[in-house]
Amino acid sequence: MIGVLVTFTQTGKFDRSALEKIAAELRGPFEGMAGLRFKSFMLDEDGARARNFYVWDDEEKARAFFTEEIVDKVTGIYGAPPHIEYLDVVGFVDNSGT
């Protein structure tokens, strides 16, 4: 498994309600996406960084998703270019079935 942390940073604060709307609108295409185990839309404590975290089955699928077209699209949506980090998932706990 591989994790991908995508961070959008602004000089000001992100509007929480605007991010909630983005999350609601963009949720659909990710539901049932092949190779994607998990995706979250997050906002840090000070509101300056919006972060999305993904867990993929493998690195190939993760890297294939983050095309130049996707990067351009999310830059427009969030108003800031993303910083993308690929992380090796060495352990995972999933309590969603309990």
Side-chain angles (χ1 to χ4, degrees), residues 58-81:
D58 62 59
E59 186 172 350
E60 183 179 323
K61 288 182 177 130
R63 290 188 183 273
F65 176 76
F66 292 99
T67 63
E68 187 175 326
E69 181 181 345
I70 289 292
V71 169
D72 288 345
K73 181 178 180 177
V74 297
T75 297
I77 291 169
Y78 286 88

Side-chain angles (χ1 to χ4, degrees), residues 12 23-24 28 33 41-42 44-45 47-49 54 63 66 72 74-75 80-82 91-92 94-96:
M33 183 178 280
F41 298 85
M42 303 175 291
D44 71 352
E45 285 184 300
R49 287 179 304 274
Y54 303 73
R63 290 188 183 273
F66 292 99
D72 288 345
V74 297
T75 297
F92 189 78
D94 181 358
N95 291 325
S96 62

Side-chain angles (χ1 to χ4, degrees), residues 16-97:
R16 181 183 175 86
S17 62
L19 290 179
E20 288 173 344
K21 183 178 178 185
I22 289 169
E25 290 174 358
L26 296 181
R27 178 185 179 141
F30 292 102
E31 292 177 339
M33 183 178 280
L36 180 65
R37 290 188 181 204
F38 175 85
K39 179 184 183 351
S40 64
F41 298 85
M42 303 175 291
L43 179 63
D44 71 352
E45 285 184 300
D46 66 8
R49 287 179 304 274
R51 293 184 171 146
N52 296 336
F53 186 69
Y54 303 73
V55 176
W56 296 87
D57 287 333
D58 62 59
E59 186 172 350
E60 183 179 323
K61 288 182 177 130
R63 290 188 183 273
F65 176 76
F66 292 99
T67 63
E68 187 175 326
E69 181 181 345
I70 289 292
V71 169
D72 288 345
K73 181 178 180 177
V74 297
T75 297
I77 291 169
Y78 286 88
H83 173 72
I84 302 171
E85 298 174 75
Y86 295 89
L87 310 162
D88 188 13
V89 176
V90 298
F92 189 78
V93 175
D94 181 358
N95 291 325
S96 62

